[in-house]
Amino acid sequence: MCCECNTNKLYKILTITIICFSIIIFLLVMFCGNKNQEKDILSAIAVEGDNTEIGNATIKFSNNTIEVGNAIAHEPESDEITINETGIYQISYQLLGEEQIIGTFNFNAALQVNDIVLLDTLNESPILRENTANRMTLTSTVILQLNQGDILKLVGLSIEDIIYENARIDIEKID
């Protein structure tokens, strides 16, 4: 065999090897690169005494237990959660409603964006009458498209004298 043929074969093998490594590196960056990206998460808790309004009330959260990233902001003891980055958000909440008297018991929860209640997030409790255990927790998870500058609130809604003793909201930017 001639020396020139061996050089051409070696050149082809080297070229194929470089192309294969380039493809592997590209795939690793595409599929593994996002795993190191920091998530944006907020978890806030309301405890007894945070919410003294009865009936219809926006829920205040005194403790931020998890704050990761910059897309979501909340000042403790406020009812406002500020969205700093446009995106898709998964929002989960729990809201405990309690009434001290025996009688009709009913309350609802919903999310509010920029002071507008989002009716498609309405979560309704059953109506209880003459029940001795007038307390209930509503839970829900929704996914919303939110914009930079939006103000998100959790709202308790009732014509009864419901007190919202405890609440929790967990928000994660998912895209």
Side-chain angles (χ1 to χ4, degrees):
M1 275 185 117
C2 68
C3 195
E4 192 174 313
C5 292
N6 285 338
T7 304
N8 284 339
K9 284 183 181 179
L10 186 59
Y11 178 74
K12 287 178 184 178
I13 291 172
L14 185 58
T15 302
I16 291 171
T17 304
I18 290 172
I19 290 171
C20 288
F21 278 122
S22 298
I23 291 171
I24 290 170
I25 290 171
F26 174 76
L27 292 174
L28 285 173
V29 168
M30 289 300 294
F31 293 110
C32 297
N34 291 337
K35 290 186 180 179
N36 294 330
Q37 182 180 8
E38 187 175 279
K39 293 184 178 264
D40 291 286
I41 299 172
L42 173 75
S43 289
I45 307 281
V47 296
E48 189 174 341
D50 282 353
N51 296 289
T52 56
E53 290 180 63
I54 59 173
N56 295 333
T58 57
I59 306 304
K60 296 179 181 101
F61 299 94
S62 62
N63 300 315
N64 294 343
T65 57
I66 299 173
E67 292 179 274
V68 177
N70 299 313
I72 313 157
H74 173 257
E75 290 294 322
E77 300 180 14
S78 170
D79 62 355
E80 295 185 351
I81 298 167
T82 304
I83 302 302
N84 294 325
E85 293 179 14
T86 296
I88 298 172
Y89 291 81
Q90 179 173 305
I91 304 160
S92 300
Y93 67 82
Q94 300 171 344
L95 180 60
L96 171 68
E98 187 170 353
E99 187 175 31
Q100 301 300 316
I101 60 172
I102 295 174
T104 302
F105 177 78
N106 173 251
F107 79 100
N108 307 306
L111 294 172
Q112 180 177 320
V113 176
N114 301 327
D115 295 324
I116 298 170
V117 173
L118 303 178
L119 294 178
D120 60 341
T121 67
L122 186 64
N123 187 357
E124 301 177 83
S125 75
I127 297 174
L128 304 177
R129 298 188 196 288
E130 303 301 325
N131 189 328
T132 57
N134 286 348
R135 61 184 295 160
M136 185 177 307
T137 301
L138 294 180
T139 63
S140 185
T141 299
V142 299
I143 296 176
L144 296 176
Q145 169 73 46
L146 298 171
N147 297 311
Q148 180 180 1
D150 282 348
I151 302 297
L152 177 73
K153 295 180 182 182
L154 175 61
V155 182
L157 304 165
S158 181
I159 59 171
E160 317 326 325
D161 291 337
I162 306 297
I163 299 171
Y164 305 102
E165 290 289 330
N166 297 305
R168 176 186 179 106
I169 193 163
D170 300 296
I171 306 167
E172 179 179 356
K173 184 173 187 253
I174 58 175
D175 187 29

